[in-house]
Amino acid sequence: MSQPKIVIVGGGFGGLAAARALRKVPAKIILIDRTNHHVFQPLLYQVATSVLSPGQIGSPIRGILRNQKNTTVILGEVTGVDKEQKCVFVSDADRENVSITYDYLILATGVSHSYFGHDEFEEFAPGLKSLAGAVEIRNKLLQAFELAEAEEDPSRHRDLLTFVLVGAGPTGVEMAGAIAVLVRSTLKSEFRRIDPASARIVLVDMAPRVLPPFFPDLSKAANHRLERLGVEVRLGHSVDHIDADGIIVAGERIVSKTVIWTAGVAPSPAGKWLKVETDRAGRVRIQKDLTVPEHPEICVIGDTASLEQNGKPLPGVAQVAMQQGRYAAKLIRSRIVGAPPPGQFSYFDKGSMAVVGKGFAVLQSRKVHLSGFVAWLAWAAVHLQYLGQSSLRVSVFLQWIWTYLTGQRGSRLIVIPRVSESNRTAVETRSTVVSGK
């Protein structure tokens, strides 16, 4: 009798947790991802602000799963699911819509940026959800200082060195704090015409306080820390417009060449693939065992899924995805080996953290509220623990120690892919065809 086939879509926290938990199950496992690496997303902002290099937070998926003989990794992008035929459609560089059948399916497809109906903002305000995005933002930040140094007119320095972050959640707060430390320590003695410490950093959000999911006292502590670092915190204001010259907030234009989007996210189109009920954000409404109604062979986990516990929706954090991935693996294993199924999924909240500049973080876990250096040490320990490979833990730990003691950062390279003339011509040709000219 042939072994059942389990297809996992997505190599993020949830997908990898499921794959690892299935390592001893008598089944053929296929993990599909559109990149060949797993990214430790909580540290993307450190790549964007030159603390770490991309290779320090990214691990090849094949390397992580190299000892799992029952697991095959496929590089490709899933474009659809046929529930009746039990197959997923995958495209890659050379093929389109190749179908891969499954007996069990785990969708862990994550999220992308949400510009709240203003997709035109994306051109001028890149987001932070991938290594490529982090490197793009790093390029923009470092280029701003280079442009200001080369600018003959001192009156333009202020505009070139104004950085605006839209969204005061954990990513926005961590990015703002990291940029403030970058300009006031690492770069302060490396330029002659400009003073990097004079850079203006603005954090904007509609919410009444930074870090809305955190307790008010921790939110207040984070806000105070940001202001001490020189960050302008503008709360209760929506973004009216973003263009190449800056941003308009509450009717006021802030001239800036560097706007970074750290606000909302949108789930993958998994709900459209499955043609099932979704919540207002587009996440798939799943049952208590993480399966899709009327399709017990399909599990949806992580940011793609909508599930309430104790009357509240589960947050879109890595811990939820990992716990759901392990649960989905346990559920599928029980069906394959004929064991009793696990009870309904229950999320155990281990707490939340956010770092705000050098040596300062906020931490909440049930009734524990911490802010300051001790919380920062706890943040560092937890993040090191969950990095994909032991070699990365050593590398990141040493880099953090070096940066903390000296202020020097690991990777301050402006790396822009070179576009050949033939590729440029091909892109222009495609653009012309699409536009109908």
Side-chain angles (χ1 to χ4, degrees), residues 218 221-222 225 354-363 369-379:
L218 296 179
R225 178 68 173 182
V355 65
V356 193
K358 180 179 178 180
F360 188 96
V362 293
L363 178 157
H369 302 202
L370 281 179
S371 64
F373 185 71
V374 173
W376 182 79
L377 289 176
W379 171 90

Side-chain angles (χ1 to χ4, degrees), residues 12-18 20 40 301-302 317-328 345 350 386:
F13 288 108
L16 271 184
R20 284 169 158 168
F40 191 77
I301 64 175
V317 296
Q319 275 297 329
V320 171
M322 289 189 289
Q323 292 181 32
Q324 289 183 336
R326 290 190 286 267
Y327 174 93
F345 173 76
K350 297 182 179 180
Y386 284 107

Side-chain angles (χ1 to χ4, degrees), residues 261-281:
W261 191 265
T262 57
V265 295
S268 74
K272 295 179 180 178
W273 298 343
L274 298 173
K275 299 178 182 178
V276 295
E277 183 184 2
T278 61
D279 65 10
R280 292 175 59 186

Side-chain angles (χ1 to χ4, degrees), residues 416-432:
I416 301 176
R418 179 176 177 273
V419 180
S420 67
E421 192 62 37
S422 59
N423 285 343
R424 184 181 296 110
T425 301
V427 170
E428 291 173 351
T429 300
R430 285 196 295 270
S431 299
T432 301

Side-chain angles (χ1 to χ4, degrees), residues 252-274:
E252 176 190 352
R253 174 171 282 280
I254 301 174
V255 180
S256 171
K257 297 296 183 181
T258 310
V259 180
I260 304 169
W261 191 265
T262 57
V265 295
S268 74
K272 295 179 180 178
W273 298 343
L274 298 173

Side-chain angles (χ1 to χ4, degrees), residues 180-331:
V181 174
L182 171 68
V183 302
R184 287 163 176 77
S185 59
T186 307
L187 302 181
K188 65 179 181 180
S189 61
E190 297 188 358
F191 293 85
R192 301 297 176 259
R193 290 183 173 182
I194 61 171
D195 176 14
S198 68
R200 181 186 183 193
I201 305 165
V202 185
L203 182 63
V204 178
D205 202 307
M206 284 186 62
R209 58 188 178 93
V210 302
L211 301 177
F214 284 70
F215 294 119
D217 60 323
L218 296 179
S219 176
K220 184 177 181 180
N223 196 117
H224 180 64
R225 178 68 173 182
L226 287 170
E227 291 176 343
R228 287 189 61 187
L229 289 170
V231 177
E232 297 180 31
V233 182
R234 298 195 174 192
L235 302 173
H237 300 298
S238 62
V239 173
D240 301 324
H241 184 69
I242 303 176
D243 55 32
D245 296 319
I247 182 171
I248 299 177
V249 180
E252 176 190 352
R253 174 171 282 280
I254 301 174
V255 180
S256 171
K257 297 296 183 181
T258 310
V259 180
I260 304 169
W261 191 265
T262 57
V265 295
S268 74
K272 295 179 180 178
W273 298 343
L274 298 173
K275 299 178 182 178
V276 295
E277 183 184 2
T278 61
D279 65 10
R280 292 175 59 186
R283 298 175 299 177
V284 177
R285 292 192 184 276
I286 54 174
Q287 302 185 109
K288 297 297 184 180
D289 64 355
L290 311 186
T291 61
V292 174
E294 300 182 12
H295 285 274
E297 75 281 3
I298 301 176
C299 293
V300 182
I301 64 175
D303 296 331
T304 308
S306 174
L307 181 66
E308 291 190 354
Q309 184 171 303
N310 300 324
K312 297 181 180 179
L314 294 179
V317 296
Q319 275 297 329
V320 171
M322 289 189 289
Q323 292 181 32
Q324 289 183 336
R326 290 190 286 267
Y327 174 93
K330 186 183 298 185
L331 177 69

Side-chain angles (χ1 to χ4, degrees), residues 326-350:
R326 290 190 286 267
Y327 174 93
K330 186 183 298 185
L331 177 69
I332 292 173
R333 178 190 178 278
S334 70
R335 293 174 178 171
I336 291 175
V337 303
Q344 67 182 33
F345 173 76
S346 178
Y347 169 58
F348 177 72
D349 187 359
K350 297 182 179 180

